[in-house]
Amino acid sequence: QVQLVESGGGLVQAGGSLRLSCAGSGRTSSSGAMGWFRQAPGKDREFVAAVTKTYGSTYYADSVKGRFIISRDNAKNTVHLQMNSLKPEDTAVYYCAAGTRTFGLRLQGSYDAWGQGTQVTVSS
């Protein structure tokens, strides 16, 4: 079983930056992918970004492309999400996810483990 713990959330003004981190422990895999999803109040959870462990291929939602950067550190079983030029609409709880698949990474069902989430609030 894989445990995921997110960190780095907080309150930031519009235009600012935050860096989220997610550390995996337990029965982690050297292959597969890790991703970030977010859920704003009253809305469904949505895909943000994903990265494959082996080749480092990255995928982004259109709403964050060009502003967010996802990266991974396989040696530390860690994934980061650098969020720049933040907007109030980025306000949400951000969840880290991990799975053994390398396809369908925009879908929640492609992941086997989830973190508890970290709050990101962007003030206008």
Side-chain angles (χ1 to χ4, degrees), residues 11-83:
L11 173 65
V12 65
Q13 287 188 331
S17 298
L18 279 176
R19 186 174 188 249
L20 304 183
S21 297
C22 173
S25 61
R27 299 183 65 179
T28 58
S29 172
S30 60
S31 59
M34 297 185 76
W36 288 95
F37 287 73
R38 67 187 181 185
Q39 186 167 20
K43 295 188 176 181
D44 294 333
R45 190 174 299 188
E46 64 176 6
F47 170 77
V48 175
V51 60
T52 61
K53 289 186 175 181
T54 302
Y55 295 107
S57 301
T58 58
Y59 306 87
Y60 296 96
D62 288 344
S63 59
V64 307
K65 197 173 296 182
R67 298 188 298 123
F68 291 11
I69 301 172
I70 188 171
S71 60
R72 94 281 191 219
D73 183 337
N74 290 343
K76 297 181 179 180
N77 289 312
T78 301
V79 65
H80 305 286
L81 185 68
Q82 177 67 41
M83 305 186 294

Side-chain angles (χ1 to χ4, degrees), residues 111-123:
Y111 300 88
D112 308 307
W114 292 83
Q116 293 299 307
T118 184
Q119 177 70 46
V120 171
T121 303
V122 184
S123 63

